């Protein structure tokens, strides 16, 4: 069954694909003084909230996965400013049945993600890496926010929905996919994140085979590693075309591609003798505040309907990506009023734009890929082909030993 709005669909439909391993166990990592609240949190996560208007009725009801608590893996620490040694010591004494069980660890963080101390912010990164090396996905929960949420069950359910969604995806499930006719297309997304502390930009590329948006794998690089980036993209093209004759290759790039970035890809495709068009979409996620459009027929809110696009130059467009749909009678301000994104479409092939419908197809694809974000139900204005790589580039370079190879095809970073 299909639906237009994921946020509404999740309340009435089952996820598209459950994690392959249905023997799922959850355990917690928390400060000793916080463990009394963990039980309340777990009960709400597993069984749902206690409120009259109930949208979250528990993990199984919401994302169709059964999970049990793994009490023998519960980890508690006493030093909240330096918990890693205690966690490592306990982790080394534990055994995990990875052949039969899929584990998810919830880290109850004493600090929120905006804490001013960079050392406190790094603790979660260390924990994420520790458990990823053990083959275990993690979900962070802000302790202070958790306490407030437990006391406000109505609003807590919306946080629980997002957590359940993210855990489902991290465990290998696919909450939903695009209801499109499968085509033999390869879509590659390249995003970036600048570490202000190091003044270094990291680039990550995320690959999605075919056009239904289901994620496959990623790599990440430093900004100056253009040959490695090109090699990674070419490998994805080669792997894809070895099992299917591609109709076209589409690259979503976070900025305008330079000659140094693009030429090795074109040369590589020529060597592969693919004979398929290559389309480059420069998607500018620095939101277009300098150019805007209004829908004067929509009261004082003015934001155009989601999916509206406007040509602003030769193969240049503004795309409005938001939660306002034509059939909606009401619009909640909490859904936000995001600026449109700028998209520039180009191709190295002379006849790439002979088909007049190809531009609309490419813009529609950007729009659709913006609806595949599984970290939360909030509508994104940037496609996951840009968003997910940025998230990887934000976290992975801070790992001490890089991302394990077997974790490059999972969404642990959500």
């Amino acid at each position: 069954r299909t639906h237009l709005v994921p946020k509404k669909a999740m309340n009435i439909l089952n996820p598209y694909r459950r994690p392959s391993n249905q023997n799922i166990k959850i355990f917690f990592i928390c400060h000793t003084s916080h463990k009394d609240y963990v039980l309340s949190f777990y009960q709400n996560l597993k069984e749902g909230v206690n409120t009259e208007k109930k949208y979250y009725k528990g993990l199984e009801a919401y994302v169709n996965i059964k999970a049990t608590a793994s009490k023998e893996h519960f980890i508690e620490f006493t030093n909240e400013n330096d918990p890693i040694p205690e966690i490592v010591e306990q982790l080394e004494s534990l055994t995990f049945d990875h052949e039969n069980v899929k584990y998810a660890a919830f880290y109850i963080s004493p600090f929120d993600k905006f804490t001013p101390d960079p050392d406190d912010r790094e603790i979660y990164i260390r924990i994420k890496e520790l458990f990823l090396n053990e083959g275990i996905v993690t979900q962070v929960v802000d302790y202070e926010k958790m306490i407030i949420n437990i006391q406000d069950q109505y609003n807590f359910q919306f946080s629980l929905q997002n957590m359940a969604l993210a855990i489902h995806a991290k465990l290998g499930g696919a909450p939903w996919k695009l209801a499109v006719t499968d085509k033999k297309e390869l879509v590659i997304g390249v995003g970036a994140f600048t570490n202000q502390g190091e003044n270094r930009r990291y680039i990550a590329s995320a690959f999605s085979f075919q056009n239904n948006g289901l994620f496959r794998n990623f790599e990440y690089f430093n900004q100056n590693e253009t040959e490695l980036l090109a090699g990674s993209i070419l490998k994805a093209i080669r792997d894809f075309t070895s099992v299917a004759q591609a109709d076209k290759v589409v690259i979503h790039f976070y900025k305008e591609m330079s000659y140094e970035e693009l030429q090795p890809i074109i040369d590589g495709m020529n060597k592969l003798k693919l004979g398929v068009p290559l389309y480059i979409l420069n998607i500018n996620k620095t939101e277009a505040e300098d150019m805007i459009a209004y829908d004067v027929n929509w009261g004082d809110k003015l934001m155009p309907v989601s999916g509206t696009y406007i040509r602003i130059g030769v193969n240049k467009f503004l795309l409005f990506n938001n939660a306002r749909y034509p059939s909606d009678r009401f619009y909640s301000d909490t859904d936000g009023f995001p600026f449109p994104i700028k998209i520039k479409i180009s191709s190295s092939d002379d006849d790439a734009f002979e088909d007049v419908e190809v531009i609309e197809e490419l813009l529609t694809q950007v729009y659709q890929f913006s609806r595949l974000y599984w970290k939360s139900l909030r509508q994104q204005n940037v496609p996951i082909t840009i968003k997910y790589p940025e998230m990887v580039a934000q976290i992975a370079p801070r790992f001490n030993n890089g991302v394990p190879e077997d974790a490059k095809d999972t969404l642990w970073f959500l």
Side-chain angles (χ1 to χ4, degrees):
R1 294 174 63 187
T2 62
H3 202 285
L4 186 65
V5 187
K7 183 165 69 172
K8 295 177 181 176
M10 288 297 291
N11 288 323
I12 55 175
L13 301 175
N14 277 333
Y16 167 68
R17 187 186 70 212
R18 297 196 299 176
S20 56
N21 188 340
Q22 280 295 294
N23 188 4
I24 296 164
K25 292 194 174 181
I26 290 171
F27 64 95
F28 290 84
I29 308 152
C30 73
H31 189 267
T32 303
S33 65
H34 297 166
K35 62 183 180 181
D36 290 344
Y37 282 94
V38 166
L39 180 59
S40 298
F41 172 84
Y42 176 70
Q43 285 174 334
N44 283 147
L45 176 73
K46 186 128 182 344
E47 307 297 338
V49 291
N50 300 308
T51 184
E52 191 175 335
K53 266 193 167 181
K54 189 183 289 190
Y55 301 106
Y56 181 78
K57 299 173 183 176
L59 202 57
E60 185 177 359
Y62 194 65
V63 290
N64 198 24
I65 57 174
K66 293 180 180 179
T68 56
S70 183
K71 294 175 184 175
E72 65 270 26
H73 294 110
F74 192 102
I75 294 174
E76 59 180 276
F77 53 87
T78 55
N79 186 342
E80 68 176 32
N81 295 108
D82 186 20
I84 301 300
E86 292 177 74
I87 293 171
V88 168
E89 184 182 353
Q90 292 176 67
L91 186 59
E92 287 176 347
S93 69
L94 297 173
T95 55
F96 295 94
D97 181 12
H98 288 300
E99 281 191 20
N100 301 302
V101 180
K102 194 74 176 171
Y103 297 93
F106 281 74
Y107 168 54
I108 311 300
S109 173
F111 310 103
D112 68 37
K113 60 184 176 183
F114 303 112
T115 181
D117 189 330
D119 290 337
D120 292 339
R121 289 199 300 271
E122 284 298 307
I123 290 171
Y124 175 56
I125 300 295
R126 298 279 77 80
I127 288 172
K128 194 173 263 300
E129 182 180 15
L130 260 179
F131 285 88
L132 197 59
N133 287 335
E134 190 61 51
I136 297 168
V137 296
T138 48
Q139 176 72 38
V140 69
V141 180
D142 178 342
Y143 172 73
E144 296 295 340
K145 196 180 288 183
M146 180 182 79
I147 299 303
I148 295 168
N149 279 335
I150 286 172
Q151 293 163 355
D152 179 3
Q153 291 276 295
Y154 175 77
N155 284 314
F156 189 22
Q157 63 186 326
F158 304 116
S159 295
L160 290 169
Q161 284 180 334
N162 290 336
M163 285 186 209
L165 178 72
I167 281 292
H168 185 278
K170 288 176 184 180
L171 290 168
W176 61 82
K177 77 175 186 78
L178 297 175
V180 293
T181 304
D182 285 351
K183 295 180 181 177
K184 295 182 178 68
E185 289 179 12
L186 172 62
V187 183
I188 300 171
V190 182
F193 174 77
T194 302
N195 186 319
Q196 301 294 348
E198 297 179 18
N199 196 25
R200 180 185 293 182
R201 170 162 280 185
Y202 292 96
I203 296 172
S205 53
F207 306 141
S208 173
F209 294 91
Q210 302 217 12
N211 62 328
N212 59 12
L214 294 183
F215 167 87
R216 287 295 182 268
N217 61 19
F218 69 83
E219 293 287 348
Y220 68 93
F221 311 95
N222 285 331
Q223 186 174 20
N224 57 357
E225 295 177 327
T226 51
E227 287 186 11
L228 288 177
L229 175 63
S232 163
I233 290 171
L234 283 170
K235 183 180 183 300
I237 295 170
R238 201 164 48 243
D239 290 348
F240 182 74
T241 53
S242 67
V243 295
Q245 174 60 43
D247 295 327
K248 62 174 174 278
V249 174
V250 182
I251 298 177
H252 292 175
F253 213 77
Y254 72 99
K255 65 178 181 65
E256 206 154 326
M257 288 188 84
S258 67
Y259 175 84
E260 290 78 11
E261 289 162 333
L262 182 57
Q263 198 55 44
I265 298 168
I266 295 170
D267 291 344
M269 286 183 68
N270 289 337
K271 284 178 185 173
L272 290 172
K273 296 180 180 176
L274 294 181
V276 297
L278 169 67
Y279 294 94
I280 311 291
L281 277 72
N282 160 225
I283 299 173
N284 189 343
K285 71 174 286 290
T286 52
E287 295 161 336
E289 298 177 40
D290 57 330
M291 195 173 292
I292 197 71
Y294 298 110
D295 180 354
V296 294
N297 296 315
W298 195 41
D300 60 352
K301 295 188 177 179
L302 302 175
M303 183 174 68
V305 168
S306 190
T308 302
Y309 66 88
I310 299 169
R311 188 185 295 271
I312 56 173
V314 178
N315 289 345
K316 292 181 180 179
F317 302 87
L318 279 186
L319 174 64
F320 289 83
N321 231 340
N322 53 60
R324 183 195 167 199
Y325 300 100
S327 58
D328 286 350
R329 291 177 57 201
F330 304 102
Y331 185 82
S332 172
D333 288 355
T334 58
D335 284 325
F337 298 87
F339 283 108
I341 53 175
K342 281 182 181 175
I343 301 172
K344 178 185 176 184
I345 304 175
S346 60
S347 176
S348 55
D349 301 287
D350 295 335
D351 58 352
F353 298 107
E354 282 188 359
D355 181 352
V356 293
E357 293 180 355
V358 73
I359 285 180
E360 184 161 352
E361 284 179 13
L362 292 168
L363 290 172
T364 300
Q365 194 169 61
V366 172
Y367 177 75
Q368 290 172 329
F369 271 63
S370 306
R371 273 142 187 77
L372 290 165
Y373 186 65
W374 294 335
K375 186 176 173 69
S376 87
L377 290 165
R378 188 179 178 88
Q379 174 58 48
Q380 304 297 303
N381 68 335
V382 177
I384 58 167
T385 41
I386 300 294
K387 188 79 174 176
Y388 281 1
E390 179 189 356
M391 293 166 74
V392 171
Q394 189 170 358
I395 300 172
R398 291 153 69 187
F399 283 178
N400 288 329
N401 299 307
V403 179
E405 283 301 317
D406 60 1
K408 289 183 177 179
D409 60 356
T410 65
L411 296 171
W412 55 265
F413 50 85
L414 290 180

